[in-house]
Amino acid sequence: MSFVENYKEHFEQLLSVKDKKELSGIRENAFNAFAEFGIPTSKHEEWKYTRIGALFNRPYRFLLDPSHAVTVADIDAFRLPGHQEANELIFVNGIFSSALSKIISKGLAVVPLEEAAADSRYKQLVAAHFGNSGHYLKDGINALNTALVNGAVFVQLTKGMAVGLPVYIYNINDARKENIFSQPRSLIHVTENAQLQIVETYFTLGVEESFTNQVMEIVVEENALLEYYKIQNDAGNANQVSTTHIRQAGRSYVHTVTVSLNGGIVRNNLNMILEAERCESHLYGLYFQKGKSHIDNHTVVDNVKPNCFSNELYKGVMNDESTGVFNGKIFVRQQAQKTNAFQSNKNILLSDDASVNTKPQLEIFADDVKCSHGCTVGQLDEEALFYLQSRGIGQKMARSLLIQAFASDILEHVKLAAIRKHVEHLVAERLEF
Amino acid sequence: MSKDNYDHVETSMNEELSAIEKTVLSDYKYGFVSNIEADEAPKGLSEDTIRFISAKKHEPEWMLEWRLKAYRQWLRMEKDEPRWANLKYTAINYQDIIYYSAPKQKSKPKSLDEVDPELRLTFEKLGISLSEQKRLTGVAVDAVIDSVSIATSFKEQLSELGIIFCSMSEAIREHPELVKKYLSTVVPPTDNYFAALNSAVFSDGSFCFVPKGVRCPMELSTYFRINAENTGQFERTLIIAEAGSYVSYLEGCTAPMRDENQLHAAVVELIAMDNAEIKYSTVQNWYPGDKNGNGGIYNFVTKRGICQGLRSKISWTQVETGSAITWKYPSVILKGDHSVGEFYSVAVTNNHQQADTGTKMQHIGKNTKSRIVSKGISAGYSNNSYRGLVHVGRKAENARNFSQCDSLLLGDKCGAHTFPYIEVKNKSAVVEHEATTSKIGEDQIFYCNQRGIDTETAVALIVNGFAKEVMNQLPMEFAVEAQKLLAISLEGSVG
Amino acid sequence: MLNIQNLQAGIEGRQILRGINLEIKAGEVHAIMGPNGSGKSTLASVLAGKQNYEVTSGSVEFLGKNLLALSPEARAAEGLFLAFQYPVEVPGLSTTNFIKTAVNEIRKYHGREPLDAVSFLKMMKQKMALVNIDQSLLSRPLNEGFSGGEKKRNEIFQMAMLEPKLAILDETDSGLDIDAIRIVSNGVNKLRTKDNAVLVVTHYQRLLDYIVPDFVHVLYNGRIVKSGTKELALELEERGYDFIRNEADVEQEA
């Protein structure tokens, strides 16, 4: 049985079991797209350096049923600092669990996506934004998530509300008994003039393999502000394709930091669609890999309208046999005059077997723009190392200090103090070679 | 280039400005058709076509076999016709092309004076004199029209030094051992779709062999011209620089104006041994099509050099102003330790032209260095893409690369794209890539206007400034020509 | 030489100049002073023919020609020179090459042969000494990476090379220390003859200590509200622009 047939069974089961008329059209289109595109191979330009075909050749438990064996105590072991003062949304094996989640902020609505799609208050929003990432990610993997959407959630922050407390999102795979394939899905709506901070993380229980294929779509309305932090430090056999697709309305401000410290094959898609004038976006990323982990950060900044600003800085440190990929694309459409878009990617290779592939790209159709990109690959600065050593600092320590300095450029952009300290601590731990 | 030379170029740049102005208003000036009788193969491609070409050229049996093998390979590659480039064009009908067209001459001329006067006139119009007496600049010329080499000048003088500079057909007949040894060692027929096609049907091109320790005393140059209708040009060039030798080679290309697209699919191979240096410069000015995007040359070219030896160096310089479609990535395989690869490029697109061009630097040996300077200028409705790969292999200790890719946009209907690929598998590598995009600012134009310089001249000045780093790499004979070309190509794009 | 009648102009539909009248004769130095936003730089830009500025009314005659009908390069060729407040940077274009092009284009406009390399070099050497500019500056790309003082000196050097009839100095003193102002002013003074004229546009009086004007005009709200001799500049320096503002506003109300 080919993998398409395999998933067709799930798909049909899903269609027959539940009555989700509102989504079934989108779902069906997505399944056809999945059947047509298939799982991306390295011949697909966007997947040139990241091969996920093999991940589909092994057996997984793929659950449509929301029941699971994860307890509060299981999660406690992984909670992020500051969780006492945070809303917590929990997905288990890709399905939202309202029982385990905690919503304490006023003005924050969390509704199952199927219900939101039928609810007159949210209906139009869901229709307008659900599946928009598929216009940018033309591959089977994105389509697969949409085709099999199940246990997804719709989150809305009321107009003008500044949520004082951040929203922590945990994606948990229970691989204690068998390999798990999960597909978390969410649609987040930050209404006009509202402010939201999101921290997202991933962990796998048990020692079996997991594969998470996640899609999160976020809409940031006029004058709204979003901070989004992604922290990836899962097991070496936890693989994932994680898509964050953000649409920005006018004068909105989005600030993202992606910190990837461990995992199996990890692919992040971060799309910033600047759909109206005077949007501002900041994209920061740190990937610090060990073992045989493979990290691929794919970003798109699409400037559709004039007068937008974006700044992107991704830094990578590759150790052991790890591989890093950076693929950043800046589009400036014909209408998007006076765009300022900057992109930079810097990499350090620490070991003989580590490697890095980087593709910073500009596609520009407007003439009155300021755009630049740059990338570097190199080692730690020998002169700086020598300078530190000449002041009596041992080589090991000197190296560790320099890497910390390299990483701090990114970490300082984590504005939630508790989370910043947490990731700084994780990086420092890693530096005790 | 020495300081003196530099100053000279600077002065000649100034003096050329009025010439730029004169030519600004002229259209594609190389678009004439010469009335030369041609000896052609029937349209279309089959094993028979290849046998026809091989027979016409009196090739030995091994060459025919080699071609047929490449042809069969090409047939198997049907699905591999490249689609990844940022180019849009109607599919090429390979059966609608004439693969061999030779100007009719009674027999190969023994001296240049015997060349058909009509042919000589053609080259005079291009500004190339085939007569050795008139050629004062010290450039040896090989002239290729449609598919066939017409004449090679300065042959005697070069052969005294042991340098072989002749047409590829002649090399196959006269120096089969060298051709057998080196042909397709850098670009095998299996390399890509167009390389396979070229290997099957190539009709001529230049061959150059510089023996050990010899510094070639003059620039070697080939002028390519497509003349006949419905013809494709498939030249094949092979340059070998033995240990410690040096050669600088230039090529120029023009074609008449025709409403239909014509195909040009060349293969160029360079081989540099220990301490050898090859400098390869191109001024490509194939007919770009008219203002509405009709006609023009489809230029699909595979150019690659290998730095085989220790401390060898290969340097590509290109000024690309012509062709409707350009698909071209002159590359260097840095195999020898301490070898150096360079790529300097100016690509101009105007009206509906499309260019997807760049380079590949494959670092394999230790302490290898590469440098990439790419300047893209887009105007009109054109699209200009830089696509480049820097690959540092696992054993390439201390590899260094620096890339600079700048784009200049004139108008808001055109596009500039940058697609660098950087693959590093060795921790001692240092790779840097920088790119910027800008436009010619209204304030810059006004500043020039205020000093009495009109807008067209101002654009020419700014564009030449933008492209200077690359232009300085060109041999002087070409630098002036190339500057004029830039101005002509951008005619009417501003203001 | 220059005769401006009721000049009204603006940018993007916003009116800035509301009726300027000014006459400059050969051999004279005029200064236009005024507070920020009064229209000083707009006047300079309109005279030089900068794009986007729209003349809605009035006329400007320059050496008997209708200046407003000429392209910017023709104005330059006719002998109008604007020393920019912010000289533009052109990476990759050497200053020498730029100036040589300008000199020869202007010669061409007047039907003269271009200067050969030797004469051009001779002329450059002579003018360099006149305005005290260093050779190394001229081989660098046009204004790129120049300090504020270097840029302004380069402007004056260009003025020396192009030998204009009327030079407009737009805030040439802005961002310069006293030494630099002295050098630049010396350059301007050396270039003065009985056949040419200078229009100094400035916010402060200090430049006028070095380039002494025959007439001073105060621009306020798009109009010349007061004219006088160099003493007016001193008065302005002492009393500030407020007294002009008050006077002008009172007048307007009346």
Side-chain angles (χ1 to χ4, degrees), chain A residues 256-274:
Chain A
T256 68
V257 184
T258 304
V259 180
S260 312
L261 300 172
N262 200 18
I265 294 172
V266 176
R267 160 68 171 255
N268 293 318
N269 295 313
L270 176 60
N271 300 341
M272 292 282 193
I273 319 301
L274 283 59

Side-chain angles (χ1 to χ4, degrees), chain A residues 138-154:
Chain A
K138 304 253 181 228
D139 61 43
I141 193 86
N142 180 271
L144 183 62
N145 182 298
T146 305
L148 298 180
V149 63
N150 179 39
V153 79
F154 174 79

Side-chain angles (χ1 to χ4, degrees), chain B residues 34-66:
Chain B
S34 301
N35 189 18
I36 299 165
E37 261 195 281
D39 186 4
E40 290 178 346
K43 254 187 200 177
L45 184 53
S46 66
E47 294 208 359
D48 287 343
T49 320
I50 290 159
R51 285 177 207 282
F52 175 90
I53 295 170
S54 193
K56 274 279 168 196
K57 308 189 82 64
H58 310 289
E59 283 179 354
E61 187 62 23
W62 62 267
M63 200 62 228
L64 175 63
E65 282 310 314
W66 190 85

Side-chain angles (χ1 to χ4, degrees), chain B residues 132-161:
Chain B
E132 282 171 35
Q133 285 85 347
K134 284 189 196 159
R135 200 71 202 167
L136 300 169
T137 42
V139 180
V141 178
D142 182 21
V144 176
I145 195 157
D146 288 342
S147 307
V148 170
S149 169
I150 300 307
T152 313
S153 58
F154 286 103
K155 238 168 141 171
E156 301 286 302
Q157 200 182 326
L158 290 170
S159 72
E160 277 166 29
L161 292 163

Side-chain angles (χ1 to χ4, degrees), chain B residues 346-414:
Chain B
V346 175
V348 181
T349 53
N350 196 358
N351 299 319
H352 291 269
Q353 281 177 278
Q354 303 175 62
D356 193 299
T357 183
T359 182
K360 286 191 212 171
M361 292 290 172
Q362 303 268 7
H363 292 258
I364 297 169
K366 293 183 174 55
N367 302 307
T368 50
K369 273 189 199 146
S370 63
R371 180 177 174 81
I372 298 170
V373 178
S374 163
K375 306 275 179 178
I377 301 163
S378 336
Y381 294 85
S382 70
N383 271 297
N384 200 328
S385 304
Y386 166 81
R387 187 182 304 277
L389 168 71
V390 175
H391 179 91
V392 178
R394 205 163 283 278
K395 290 183 177 149
E397 293 290 328
N398 293 315
R400 296 288 178 267
N401 162 267
F402 178 75
S403 308
Q404 175 77 46
C405 303
D406 297 324
S407 306
L408 191 64
L409 287 148
L410 285 76
D412 61 358
K413 304 280 188 296
C414 50

Side-chain angles (χ1 to χ4, degrees), chain A residues 222-293:
Chain A
E222 285 231 349
N223 274 315
L225 188 150
L226 171 74
E227 284 172 35
Y228 174 85
Y229 304 104
K230 180 184 280 194
I231 298 156
Q232 295 166 314
N233 193 24
D234 209 344
N237 60 353
N239 306 299
Q240 59 171 276
V241 177
S242 170
T243 297
T244 312
H245 178 80
I246 302 175
R247 298 176 83 174
Q248 286 187 248
R251 294 188 293 278
S252 60
Y253 177 100
V254 173
H255 175 101
T256 68
V257 184
T258 304
V259 180
S260 312
L261 300 172
N262 200 18
I265 294 172
V266 176
R267 160 68 171 255
N268 293 318
N269 295 313
L270 176 60
N271 300 341
M272 292 282 193
I273 319 301
L274 283 59
E275 292 181 322
E277 287 201 45
R278 301 196 188 277
C279 294
E280 184 170 337
S281 308
H282 296 264
L283 301 82
Y284 299 99
L286 173 70
Y287 42 103
F288 187 178
Q289 301 288 304
K290 63 175 184 180
K292 294 188 177 196
S293 64

